[in-house]
């Protein structure tokens, strides 16, 4: 995965562009999908042999000027451009290893979000902690352990996320972003390797090299207990805990989505109380 990440990214991105999209003529039958290496080099104003060495992994230290020219040539948006710089090592990284445990104050903060689902993910999309309502929200899955694995390997995902394709793309893009920040992170490599082996859908999306920022569009969910909901996801980097991301799902106030989420919380609380009574040997009121 990290042998020639820069070259893989460049090849994938040029394969998406046609000559017409970048103002180049196209003659005869093309043996490659998208742009040729030579065409990218022309657009970027550089020697074609140098660009070929970049893709082949024989040149690993391009200057910021070269990277900027390639970004323009390949029509990269800001997240993809940032990812390119990271892959090339042009953005010095002093990031410590991701922290794999959450602090007690963060645990208290999660539990304080009583009316909305809240959870903490590491860069590999492992659930590090979640509050009670998040547990109720993801209850249809066989295990609430890793959001990427749940999305691609649990059959419940395609029913739970009616816009599964869009959600799946966002998961892969997030993993790509994490790879750019820390390509040697062992847990990320493990998760990606497993998903490439076990999910053709994941493998196809991963090879597409998509990187983009998080959308503010609502995540649409269909829960078997309360029906459809549209929840807006807000994510926050946890200060002092490298790599941890606090995610909060919120409905639009006063909507049917908010009512459905409130109902889910009520059902979960009732079930929790009933379970406690059963364990204690209690009966009715």
């Amino acid at each position: 995965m990290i042998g020639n990440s820069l070259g893989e990214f460049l090849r994938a991105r040029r394969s998406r562009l046609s000559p017409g999209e970048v103002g180049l003529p196209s003659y005869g039958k093309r043996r490659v999908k998208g742009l040729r290496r030579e065409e990218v080099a022309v657009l970027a104003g550089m020697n074609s042999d140098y660009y070929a060495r970049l893709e082949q992994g024989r040149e690993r230290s391009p200057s910021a000027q070269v990277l900027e020219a390639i970004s323009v040539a390949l029509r990269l948006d800001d997240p993809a451009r940032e990812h390119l710089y990271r892959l090339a090592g042009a953005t010095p990284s002093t990031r410590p290893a991701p922290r794999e445990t959450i602090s007690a104050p963060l645990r208290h903060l999660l539990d304080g979000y009583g009316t909305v689902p809240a959870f903490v993910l590491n860069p590999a999309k492992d659930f590090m902690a979640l509050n009670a309502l998040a547990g109720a929200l993801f209850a249809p899955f066989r295990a609430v352990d890793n959001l990427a694995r749940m999305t691609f390997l649990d059959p419940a995902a395609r029913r739970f996320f009616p816009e599964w394709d869009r959600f799946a793309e966002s998961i892969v893009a997030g993993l790509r972003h994490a790879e750019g920040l820390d390509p040697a992170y062992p847990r990320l490599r493990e998760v990606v390797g497993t998903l490439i082996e076990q999910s053709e859908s994941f493998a196809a999306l991963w090879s597409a090299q998509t990187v983009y920022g998080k959308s503010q569009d609502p995540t649409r969910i269909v829960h078997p207990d309360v029906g459809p909901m549209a929840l807006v996801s807000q994510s926050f980097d946890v200060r002092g805990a490298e790599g941890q991301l606090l995610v909060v799902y919120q409905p639009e106030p006063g909507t049917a989505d908010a009512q459905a989420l409130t109902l889910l919380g009520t059902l979960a609380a009732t079930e929790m109380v009933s379970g406690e009574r059963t364990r204690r040997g209690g009966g009715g009121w």
Side-chain angles (χ1 to χ4, degrees):
M1 182 173 64
I2 54 178
N4 186 21
S5 297
L6 175 60
E8 292 172 3
F9 181 74
L10 292 174
R11 287 192 294 272
R13 298 305 299 221
R14 70 177 168 86
S15 72
R16 296 184 178 191
L17 295 172
S18 67
E21 289 178 287
V22 295
L24 293 177
S26 180
Y27 302 105
K29 185 177 181 180
R30 304 177 69 85
R31 293 182 297 173
V32 297
K33 180 182 178 182
L35 297 178
R36 300 185 178 99
R37 288 175 180 166
E38 296 79 5
E39 291 169 333
V40 176
V42 168
L43 291 170
M46 66 181 61
N47 182 279
S48 59
D49 182 62
Y50 179 81
Y51 179 78
R53 294 202 305 273
L54 282 176
E55 283 202 3
Q56 293 164 356
R58 294 186 290 126
E59 171 58 58
R60 296 178 179 270
S61 302
S63 67
Q65 182 179 4
V66 166
L67 293 173
E68 189 61 32
I70 293 175
S71 298
V72 174
L74 294 178
R75 306 297 195 262
L76 301 184
D77 57 15
D78 287 342
R81 174 178 171 273
E82 180 183 354
H83 187 65
L84 171 65
Y85 272 70
R86 289 196 179 106
L87 290 176
T91 302
S93 176
T94 57
R95 297 168 63 91
R99 184 172 174 178
E100 299 297 351
T101 59
I102 72 165
S103 65
L106 181 55
R107 175 75 263 181
H108 296 325
L109 177 65
L110 277 179
D111 293 336
Y113 283 112
T115 59
V116 293
F119 49 94
V120 177
L121 300 174
N122 69 8
K125 302 296 184 184
D126 288 319
F127 280 89
M128 304 185 67
L130 65 166
N131 67 3
L133 192 49
L137 182 69
F138 292 110
F141 291 88
R142 290 178 296 195
V144 183
D145 50 8
N146 179 281
L147 189 55
R149 187 206 64 78
M150 292 158 59
T151 300
F152 286 93
L153 300 183
D154 194 319
R158 292 180 183 267
R159 299 187 296 272
F160 188 81
F161 297 112
E163 297 176 341
W164 184 88
D165 289 343
R166 185 169 70 90
F167 188 82
E169 284 188 356
S170 73
I171 290 292
V172 175
L175 292 175
R176 272 290 181 198
H177 182 72
E179 183 202 31
L181 293 173
D182 188 358
Y185 178 36
R187 176 57 181 159
L188 177 61
R189 297 174 67 183
E190 179 185 357
V191 169
V192 170
T194 297
L195 290 174
I196 287 176
E197 290 179 1
Q198 298 185 17
S199 170
E200 292 182 2
S201 297
F202 179 88
L205 288 172
W206 184 256
S207 66
Q209 296 271 353
T210 298
V211 182
Y212 54 81
K214 187 171 180 58
S215 169
Q216 291 303 307
D217 293 336
T219 298
R220 301 194 181 279
I221 289 168
V222 176
H223 196 283
D225 292 335
V226 298
M229 289 180 283
L231 304 175
V232 175
S233 171
Q234 297 288 339
S235 302
F236 309 91
D237 291 320
V238 179
R239 294 189 63 182
E242 188 65 41
Q244 293 184 10
L245 194 68
L246 171 63
V247 183
V248 180
Y249 279 171
Q250 294 179 303
E252 187 70 27
T255 62
D257 303 315
Q259 294 173 2
L261 190 60
T262 299
L263 176 59
L264 180 62
T266 301
L267 293 174
T270 301
E271 183 176 336
M272 184 180 299
V273 170
S274 299
E276 285 294 326
R277 289 193 190 127
T278 299
R279 284 192 294 271
R280 294 173 183 172
W285 292 98

